[in-house]
């Protein structure tokens, strides 16, 4: 029942590199508004933006043993994705584990639970997206699995999926779709750059997106605000 | 049913200017502890403080069409106040809409839902108070209304009301009361300045506010802590 | 029923000083994973780390009268710990009270409720760990007690206990145990320093902690990821 | 600042009577999907359904003094609507107050806070919709107001508004609209009765509502589930 | 560190018997509004009311081993009180453990976590107050302690304390105070019986409690509701 | 992007029948403590227990159009599983849709959102497990998909999976594993029946499960409770 899958497949480094230039919102839109993990995942410090390959960990509540097992499966460019099988806000992860991951070139941690040592993690610039910050310790008693599909903060993550994370949250791109989503992200960004320029000059979205007729058809009316109240 | 009210009345610029010098806590106290929106509204970055006139938007969950409509109703010195008719943490608002509002001189956004592109919004210094940060996209399918009274984070906001927001949250002042509340805020601040000085010198609130007798009457007793336990 | 206990006992200044060098996670582990207050308590700004003696306040919801009473019981090196008897997110505490506490050398506030004026508190560098930031005012109508044992964010705090707080949350050390916990924290930190060095060099926790055999005994298996899916 | 408005206007008894035959969902739809209070309000026992005129109370957190004041303003057919000015889950209301309201013919209580004595209230069949059940007592120290507009569970309630409540929650109908909404509710119910019959016979909503073409136009495709995976 | 304390002291059976006749709200008031556990604890079925002596269990998150240990320490008239050291909603307890406790005459379970088999527990009429209902299994790997003081749902419970529970929640009475609190509960109930009768006859609390003068002094004014708006 | 997969495979009726005899807790344990959906899903009335084949629906927040589409894909013995792509507590489902599903022999609804008409649904005995009860209406504007894998309340559900639901929550069994899990459930139940009998006779789990030695080895000590304190 407890398995570590080794030798997972990963997206091309160039594709990861490309996706890391776009934010979560852009990638999420570019792949048809799918792949977001839930809003409970928040970065421990502002400003980080990463893209990497998911190494996934399914583990019991308040037991971080399998994270130690997972470290060995990580390589440069990976992102560790940790999901307990039941709700937990315990602090599964701190600066010792971060030192270990950083030594292997891991780009960050996504955890549907708590972390601790956030002052040290911030100083190290090791980015973490977590549901809680909490010093509560965990045990090392019960097995889980590494590189199985996990549900993390309400979204599905498979090993080798591309993880994009920034201040807006975390988005998952299936490995097989990564190159296509990169293209779509580039296209979207190019189009938005033009819109941004027009909006900044004072043009209205109502006109740029040609909304006025559709709004009127649906029945929107304009009236001066009645006096008094 | 779906209406955009135009030509709303706004408070005097000088009054807005005056109120922007005080924080939310001061204004809230100065108007008799009323007008606060709920504590779920948090700024996306620390340090912003704004005062402006509310342009209000009532819209369906996960549908941001009416924000595009509302932009046209905004002018310099306004604050956009957005309230879905049912709970939503979707990301209704990002840097494109912020560019559009900034181009019109809008001072910020209050939204009882989610926003995205917070890294860009922070870089632009476009302040937002929201219930969530989440990249989840919205649709443009269903109408709502602009410049109707809305309930936002548990508080009532009417178009043209004065919106005060800072790191403590968001407070609403009715347009008709704004000049009076400004006076009361100035008076309160002046009085607190004196108290602050005395407290900083080490005087006790117990003495400054003359509380000792009232406390004793109510039955407060002082005892040395018993040993052991 | 309403009592202010005076002349509480406090831990040795040298012990406080020593404990202030360690973070919450270290001290919590060093005393056997006990003493943490709940994760709802968050610092109002990042980076503060304090250790001090608890002056405790039990008070009614949305009534901050007893905080004014408690100020007088505080001395340099203390930390004020405030717990309402029923849930409240009102703003019990702002910069005036902070000025008063700072004038007495108090190191910070732990409050299982809301605070306000966080912009000013941040500018003053007066650290607060609270459950909410909210400008909602409180009244001064009903008594409570000072220096009684309180339950704060799910943990028990007695007057004179040592309070450790940093970005990870808040940990309580019983006064009688403080010297022993300081020793244990030093020992833990020394041991972790060595582990940290080995991990940073790329050694694995699996080997450092000698986990491989125990994992295999429990039934962990390694397999290459099957193709396709 | 603290006022009791007396002699409020109420909807016609026949209109109240009529609306009491419909559930919250029907009335909410019949008035254009407006007027719902938030889903946190739950009945203390299943099966109650009421319609009545709102007597509103705005009061401080954890202080139930104004409920005693409000009782006198209630008459047969009324529903008491209680909203604290800040979050509270304290138990503002129990069987003594219920006895008093029942003696005046009041039909129920809507409270954006806690209640207690629910075993007795259930035995008396005095229906309550509340955010919490909690025995925590309240004080009688601070004034509020009666029959002012209040925001209750995120919705606006004015004195004399019609309150509809059942197992689905609570819906507010403005007094001036009550007769029209009653008509619309009757029409909606009549139409649904026919649909219900057709659905119960096995006809599909896809056909009854003529959805197939619209779905196809939007791009919906049907495919047999691929094998394997 | 892990201890089972045996031979705890318990309140007199006659006192327990007496207290079981009063509800949580009455006992909580009778002992000065103290002793309530938090409102997150809800009964798994309505109508149960118990009073018994606390056997307390402190245990790790998602590990129910110590409950098996605690069963042996229970005797007829006891109530088991279980508190994890970190948040957990796992299902620590089901019908097998309930059969075991019922065989010993235990009156119910208070648990700051989840339970399962609630259909069976309801059929057995074994009452439970819990924070969650969830089938998630727990492990038996890590020790805790029995009959140490625990913080359960934000309240302190010591072994041998009297536990009162009903549909309003859970209240704790210190063993030493139990006889006094019983007296106070009887007195309160007798007084309320008279008030209840007067209220049911239509007298107002305003008059019975003599509130009118105090309200006027505080500044309450009565006004007819202004027309229009 | 929006697809309805037809002709999904389902588990054998005899297997469904068999699994319907066991509760969620038993099945969850029998398949190795996997497959549970989150504890936020609660039954709208107590006592229902179902097993059926999942027809899954992925749809936008506050838009129930795809439920109408999904009805056509349902057959006798199915359970509808509905998951919005972003948080919503709107009322997607009421008695009209229930009439339609009941006419096709569908056994119940699992929805990670809100439902309404719960009084009628209860009267019809159409069981629903939902995250909220709320009358808020939804629109029919945006497509989703039917019979794709969905994440519902934190768990993965694929079309044709077996859904088990009772008062403890909801558990998912992969279709391919259903026969094996049925066997394991029968075995577990048989074993528990014997244990139940022994526990009911007063034997202790400590002895039945042979725990005493293991506890002692881990370091558990027994001591009489010290006097005083």
């Amino acid at each position: 029942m407890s398995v570590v899958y080794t030798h997972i497949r990963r997206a091309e480094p160039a594709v990861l590199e490309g996706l890391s230039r776009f934010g979560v919102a852009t990638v999420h839109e570019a792949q048809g508004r799918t792949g977001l993990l839930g809003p409970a995942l928040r970065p421990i410090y502002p400003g980080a933006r990463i893209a990497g390959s998911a190494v996934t960990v399914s583990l019991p509540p308040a037991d971080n043993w399998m994270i130690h097992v997972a470290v060995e499966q990580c390589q440069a460019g990976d992102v560790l994705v940790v999901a307990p099988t039941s709700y937990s806000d315990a602090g599964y992860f701190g600066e010792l584990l971060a030192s270990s991951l950083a030594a292997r070139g891991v780009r960050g941690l996504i955890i549907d639970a708590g972390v601790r040592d956030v002052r040290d993690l911030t100083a190290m610039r090791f980015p973490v997206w977590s549901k809680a910050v909490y010093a509560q310790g965990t045990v090392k008693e019960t097995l889980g699995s590494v590189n199985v599909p996990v549900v993390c903060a309400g979204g599905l993550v498979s090993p080798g999926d591309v993880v994009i994370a920034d201040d807006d949250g975390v988005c998952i791109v299936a490995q097989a779709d990564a190159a296509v989503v990169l293209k779509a992200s580039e296209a979207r960004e190019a189009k938005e750059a033009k819109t941004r320029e027009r909006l900044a000059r004072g043009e209205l979205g109502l006109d740029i997106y040609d909304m006025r007729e559709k709004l009127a058809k649906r029945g929107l009316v304009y009236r001066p605000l009645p006096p008094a109240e």
Side-chain angles (χ1 to χ4, degrees), chain A residues 44-209:
Chain A
I44 58 168
Y45 58 82
R49 173 181 287 182
I50 62 169
S53 298
V55 169
T56 63
V57 187
S58 170
L59 40 57
D63 188 316
N64 77 347
W65 207 10
M66 293 309 291
I67 298 183
H68 290 272
V69 174
V71 169
E72 192 179 26
Q73 305 305 316
C74 292
Q75 60 183 55
D78 286 350
V79 175
L80 198 63
V81 178
V82 177
T85 55
S86 171
Y87 183 99
S88 177
D89 53 19
Y92 288 67
F93 185 94
E95 50 98 18
L96 287 184
L97 278 164
S99 295
S100 191
L101 288 178
R104 302 178 80 81
V106 171
R107 292 183 180 163
L109 170 73
I110 314 294
I111 181 164
D112 195 7
V115 293
R116 59 188 193 178
D117 300 334
V118 298
R119 190 164 120 146
D120 299 316
L121 296 174
T122 302
M124 293 169 67
R125 293 282 125 180
F126 187 86
V128 175
W129 286 256
S130 72
K131 195 166 61 186
V133 172
Y134 196 27
Q136 174 73 41
T138 54
V139 296
K140 288 174 186 52
E141 295 286 357
T142 310
L143 297 184
S145 290
V146 174
N147 285 327
V148 293
V150 296
V151 174
C152 179
L156 186 65
V157 188
S158 294
D161 281 353
V162 179
V163 180
I164 317 286
D166 66 12
D167 291 343
D168 287 351
V170 183
C171 187
I172 303 300
V173 180
Q175 186 193 316
D177 303 342
V180 171
V181 171
L182 171 56
K183 282 256 156 62
S185 299
E186 287 166 343
R188 184 178 170 87
E189 180 52 33
K191 191 176 147 202
E192 287 204 342
K194 284 179 197 158
T195 307
R196 188 178 298 118
E197 210 179 300
R198 292 176 67 182
L199 289 167
R201 278 200 309 260
E203 279 189 75
L204 288 169
L206 284 178
D207 299 312
I208 294 173
Y209 305 118

Side-chain angles (χ1 to χ4, degrees), chain A residues 32-52:
Chain A
R33 295 192 176 167
T34 60
L36 276 185
L37 306 191
L41 294 181
R42 299 301 303 142
I44 58 168
Y45 58 82
R49 173 181 287 182
I50 62 169

